[in-house]
Amino acid sequence: MEIKPKTVKSAQLKNLIVKQLYFDNALSCAELSELFDKSIPSITKAVNELITEGFVVEHGYAPSSGGRRPLLYSIKPDAMYILAIAMDQLSTRIQLLDLLNRPVADSLTFDLRLLNNDAALATLVKSINSYILKSGIPKEKIAGIGMGMPGFINVRQGINYTYLNAGSKSLVQYLHDEIGLPVYIDNDSSLIALAEQRFGIAKAQQNVMVINLGWGIGLGMIVNGEIFRGHNGFAGELSHIPLSDDDALCACGKRGCLETVASMQVVAEKAIEGINSGRATSLKDTGAAASKALLDDILDAAGKGDQFAIELLSDAAYKIGKALAILIHIMNPQTIVLSGRGARAGKILMAPIQQALHKYCIPRLAESTQLLISDLGFDAELIGAAVLMMENFEKEIKSVSRLEV
Amino acid sequence: MEIKPKTVKSAQLKNLIVKQLYFDNALSCAELSELFDKSIPSITKAVNELITEGFVVEHGYAPSSGGRRPLLYSIKPDAMYILAIAMDQLSTRIQLLDLLNRPVADSLTFDLRLLNNDAALATLVKSINSYILKSGIPKEKIAGIGMGMPGFINVRQGINYTYLNAGSKSLVQYLHDEIGLPVYIDNDSSLIALAEQRFGIAKAQQNVMVINLGWGIGLGMIVNGEIFRGHNGFAGELSHIPLSDDDALCACGKRGCLETVASMQVVAEKAIEGINSGRATSLKDTGAAASKALLDDILDAAGKGDQFAIELLSDAAYKIGKALAILIHIMNPQTIVLSGRGARAGKILMAPIQQALHKYCIPRLAESTQLLISDLGFDAELIGAAVLMMENFEKEIKSVSRLEV
DNA sequence: ATACTTTTATAAATATTTTAAGAAGTTTTA
DNA sequence: TAAAACTTCTTAAAATATTTATAAAAGTAT
């Protein structure tokens, strides 16, 4: 069916307003008019249509600055829902969120190995479809799916070159065909950065670097208020910059990568070494070499004051700090955020990182960047996935009308 | 005088068209319509007005792709002129350019020491005013002044925190008041990058890193097709990233900066050492320690096959290559351009830089970035200054009408 | 308390842009 | 060689958006 251009333009403005209200809690017509460079009558008309369509509600009056009080409008949280998916190498989380990023159904976490697993894609589709079914939310009320995953991703084409090959179709196209909802994917670290910049500790900042402290060291870059991916989507490869000339061989084939000296994997390996050589520590070698449980133990122990655990983390953090010094010289960010699983140990990491920054940064540069610890924590990637979906909402021209009952 | 909003909107579209035609030689109404998302009748009207106002001329027909041949329009090169200024620490160049970036008057180069020179600003103003007078071009025909200079610059406020303090006024405001033309300033390396991206070897590319090989090592960054400056304008401090732990003390107070091991200053110093210790070379110690003449001699000698000179440059280039490897990991640029004065020796620098990239880059990243040598050479900064002016042309709402005769 | 300023909201008048239809010029295809 | 298909350009009617004016509401000053 052909869509009349007139309808498209009008729908675009309405989608833009919905998107804006998703990001900014409540806004007046005057503010929206300013924001989109449209006249107040045009905005009023669009907003009123959105109210009758059930997407927008009045939200009381804002305090006046010397004139009539503006009527605020906000999004109706249950006007539609977003399916957010956060994957890592071993497990996947699915959660349905409303337009205030609040869960509307229990999250589902299940093991899903991405590497060398031909069944992964089919399992994922089955899990998503059954999750939606179990939630009791009709598909028509779900605006779409946002998904974060590791690997090298072509966002525009919706392909992950590393995992979940969907054969002749793109991953996004395949998922869309199997589930019947629009799907958007992006790199996990990028989505964490997006979450921090839209709803986290770096809200609305234009220039933010977010460190994803997980098993490896990821970097999500926000440049001019948007995710930055570089020419081929490879930007932010912080963990493989050459830091020292004569260190261990990295999986990437080079020597001296940050990853070989400062990742949580290395921390865990060193912990086992230390335990076995009789270091005084509350940590125990559980047998499973470098498991996730051990990493959690180390973070816990450090939090409780275990000197050995603190030492391990500090060593890693100092080296991360040196890499961040380089990043600051090149990007001059307003903020660096420590996020991801490892952000739990943020307070312990902070001091050695700052120390390295002072040693390796021009003072003026070190002073102009603030180092913060995420407060979104484990939810960051899920929220980032939801944001990704809403970022692309204006492209779904038919969305508003499709969702009309 | 208050400007009627209607006039503003119409003038803005016309200024946008003028700007676009400055960058893209010749365009049809259909292309302009596509570009600005305006209807063809609206574009036609604006273009016809611009023709009667003497800014635009017809430029023949484009080859057809299966339909009526489109009539192309291009800018009238002498509709107005741009005053481009390129400064370095010691000398300043002034040149009046037309809208095809062709000189319309001889360039003026004069010594102007920026450091510790209270008279510099007054000298600059006098030189500019007399240059304009001598050129015989009436001020009304000059759209404005673009100026590139070293130092830390706040582009929006038009202030250089390092040089040419104008007291209570901003530098830009001061120059505007003294000369009577709009003035825009930016960092020299940024303007060189801008020139390469608009009229040079990286034309129209979105993601370009330009190395300004001069006395030091500058970096101009093009991100998403625009100059990137970071949160405080400090982005691109490539020459002070920590490269090695135990090298010479840098002027910035740290150790191991790229600048201390790879700048042209270091090359010149090592050359004098080598000459005095009897190395076989055609170079001669002219007495003046580390002078610009010596640097030119080294570049020439290397070009003629002098082994010692080549060795000096290769050593520096390899270290620059290591820094570029880091830059590639973070930014994933499409292109890195070697520009600035030192680009003359580009061919000699190329091999050791590539060698370092292969050693320090993940292969997939090294392959996705091309390394090119500038063909704008010495003119890059002047052209960049002109581009800076035209970039801001749409802000000069009254420009078109002001220039009307 | 009242008048004044500032701001928002609404309706009518105005201006602009878009759309649509047709003409003219090219290339491709039958 | 002729017709079909495609693209650009022109013009007028229709749709759309913006401006202007007015009223209402809230704070500020007299």
Side-chain angles (χ1 to χ4, degrees), chain A residues 82-380:
Chain A
I82 307 162
L83 192 68
I85 303 178
M87 309 181 91
D88 66 22
Q89 298 277 358
L90 297 174
S91 73
T92 292
R93 261 178 305 158
I94 301 181
Q95 176 131 53
L96 204 55
L97 301 173
D98 70 8
L99 293 177
L100 291 174
N101 294 328
R102 297 176 306 196
V104 291
D106 286 338
S107 78
L108 168 68
T109 306
F110 56 100
D111 288 341
L112 185 71
R113 190 163 41 80
L114 293 181
L115 196 64
N116 301 324
N117 180 2
D118 289 340
L121 190 50
T123 310
L124 178 65
V125 167
K126 235 172 70 183
S127 302
I128 293 172
N129 276 326
S130 81
Y131 178 85
I132 294 174
L133 216 64
K134 204 182 269 177
S135 75
I137 304 285
K139 247 181 211 176
E140 296 75 41
K141 290 284 275 183
I142 301 175
I145 299 176
M147 186 161 97
M149 55 195 307
F152 282 114
I153 293 174
N154 184 321
V155 172
R156 272 176 48 194
Q157 291 184 251
I159 300 171
N160 187 324
Y161 294 114
T162 320
Y163 305 114
L164 297 187
N165 189 313
S168 60
K169 287 182 188 175
S170 73
L171 175 56
V172 156
Q173 186 63 51
Y174 180 84
L175 291 174
H176 176 266
D177 292 348
E178 295 290 319
I179 302 167
L181 289 172
V183 178
Y184 294 94
I185 64 172
D186 208 330
N187 177 269
D188 49 359
S189 294
S190 291
L191 288 191
I192 288 172
L194 191 60
E196 298 292 352
Q197 196 263 348
R198 297 303 163 93
F199 292 105
I201 200 159
K203 190 169 167 83
Q205 291 189 18
Q206 294 299 294
N207 220 296
V208 186
M209 301 292 118
V210 179
I211 308 301
N212 178 16
L213 294 167
W215 207 236
I217 300 162
L219 170 62
M221 306 170 83
I222 302 287
V223 172
N224 296 331
E226 309 225 313
I227 296 177
F228 177 72
R229 302 184 176 90
H231 178 53
N232 299 313
F234 299 148
E237 262 304 336
L238 191 71
S239 58
H240 294 288
I241 59 171
L243 262 195
S244 47
D245 276 331
D246 34 32
D247 268 296
L249 190 67
C250 178
C252 77
K254 299 187 299 150
R255 288 180 183 281
C257 295
L258 176 64
E259 196 167 279
T260 64
V261 293
S263 76
M264 290 302 133
Q265 180 145 21
V266 173
V267 168
E269 282 162 11
K270 282 191 183 163
I272 292 175
E273 261 178 51
I275 294 164
N276 293 335
S277 67
R279 284 286 310 248
T281 173
S282 61
L283 293 170
K284 276 165 199 161
D285 187 352
T286 56
S291 73
K292 289 222 167 174
L294 176 60
L295 184 55
D296 281 336
D297 286 350
I298 297 170
L299 295 173
D300 285 342
K304 286 174 189 154
D306 186 294
Q307 284 303 311
F308 178 55
I310 291 175
E311 186 186 307
L312 288 174
L313 290 175
S314 294
D315 281 358
Y318 187 81
K319 281 155 187 160
I320 291 173
K322 188 175 178 185
L324 294 186
I326 292 175
L327 190 62
I328 288 175
H329 277 92
I330 294 174
M331 300 303 296
N332 178 219
Q334 181 173 5
T335 302
I336 293 179
V337 179
L338 302 180
S339 189
R341 300 181 91 102
R344 267 175 59 200
K347 280 187 186 162
I348 292 158
L349 303 173
M350 203 81 164
I353 290 178
Q354 284 286 13
Q355 207 179 326
L357 292 187
H358 283 127
K359 169 148 189 200
Y360 294 113
C361 267
I362 298 178
R364 183 178 38 207
L365 281 176
E367 285 158 17
S368 60
T369 298
Q370 55 181 344
L371 183 64
L372 300 175
I373 298 166
S374 166
D375 48 9
L376 295 178
F378 195 48
D379 289 334

Side-chain angles (χ1 to χ4, degrees), chain B residues 214-215 261-276 283-286 288-299 308-309 312-313 316:
Chain B
W215 207 236
V261 293
S263 75
M264 290 302 133
Q265 179 145 24
V266 173
V267 168
E269 282 162 11
K270 281 191 183 164
I272 292 176
E273 261 176 51
I275 294 165
N276 293 335
L283 293 171
K284 277 166 197 159
D285 186 351
T286 55
S291 73
K292 289 222 166 174
L294 176 60
L295 184 55
D296 280 337
D297 286 350
I298 296 170
L299 295 174
F308 178 53
L312 287 175
L313 289 175

